[in-house]
Amino acid sequence: ITGEIAGQTVDGISPPDLLDYQAQTSTLSGLAAEQFGGVPASLETLDGAVPVNMAVVSATYFDVLGVPARQGRTFRSGDAPVEPVGPVVISHRVANLVFGSADGAVNQSVTINARRRVVLGVMPASFQSPVDAEIWETVNLTGAMFAGRGIEARFLKMIGRRRPGTS
C-alpha cells in the first residue's frame, strides 16, 4: 500500500490503518503486519551478549501465515505489549543458545536489550519470516507511541490471507 504524507510517497500502513482494514475486509480471512526492516537486538546468553534480529509483528502474524509454534504458542490478540515490553516468540536457534533446546524455553525468561521477556513459544527451525528474524514481539496497535501521529506512522507492511471462495 502506498500513500502520500506531507507531499512524500510513503509505502506501508500505520497501526490505525491495520485496525481499520481488519475491521472492514470481507475478502480476506485474516490480516497481519510486520515492521519494515528488522530491529537489531542484544540477547544475553551464558556466554555473553549475542546480536540478533527482532521482528515487530501484529498479534495475528503467525495465524495469517498459517505457521504454528514448534513449542508453546504464538501471539493472541490479548498479548499486545504492556508498555514498555511484552512477551516474545523465539526462533529454534535462540532457544538452543539460551536454554539448550526448544523443550525448556516456553514460559521462561530471556533478556533482550537488558529487559527480561517471557517466551510464549518457539518457532520451527525452518521458519524464517521476515528474513533473518530470530525473535518476534508484537506491535502495540493502540499505544501511546502513536498519539498525535495516527495514520502518519506508516512503518508496517500488511500481509493478508484470502478467504476461501473469493478472488
Side-chain angles (χ1 to χ4, degrees):
I1 293 178
T2 302
E4 190 171 305
I5 298 175
Q8 293 185 340
T9 300
V10 182
D11 291 325
I13 63 168
S14 67
D17 287 335
L18 178 63
L19 293 173
D20 287 346
Y21 287 126
Q22 286 174 329
Q24 296 173 19
T25 187
S26 60
T27 58
L28 298 172
S29 63
L31 278 172
E34 66 186 33
Q35 180 176 319
F36 283 108
V39 178
S42 177
L43 171 71
E44 293 296 323
T45 70
L46 293 175
D47 296 325
V50 175
V52 293
N53 286 317
M54 281 182 70
V56 179
V57 300
S58 65
T60 56
Y61 185 74
F62 296 103
D63 287 339
V64 169
L65 292 178
V67 181
R70 178 184 181 274
Q71 295 289 327
R73 66 176 178 85
T74 58
F75 301 118
R76 296 181 187 142
S77 59
D79 292 329
V82 177
E83 300 293 341
V85 297
V88 294
V89 173
I90 62 176
S91 70
H92 192 265
R93 183 182 93 84
V94 165
N96 286 334
L97 275 173
V98 178
F99 304 106
S101 77
D103 298 334
V106 176
N107 294 322
Q108 298 298 316
S109 293
V110 293
T111 302
I112 304 162
N113 295 338
R115 294 185 180 212
R116 307 227 13 110
R117 310 289 289 272
V118 174
V119 175
L120 290 178
V122 178
M123 295 308 291
S126 61
F127 182 76
Q128 287 190 319
S129 181
V131 176
D132 297 332
E134 295 187 284
I135 299 171
W136 295 265
E137 69 177 346
T138 57
V139 62
N140 185 341
L141 297 175
T142 58
M145 66 186 287
F146 307 114
R149 291 179 24 194
I151 63 169
E152 292 182 12
R154 295 180 177 270
F155 62 92
L156 297 172
K157 177 172 52 171
M158 191 165 53
I159 301 163
R161 179 180 285 242
R162 190 177 48 175
R163 185 178 307 282
T166 62
S167 57

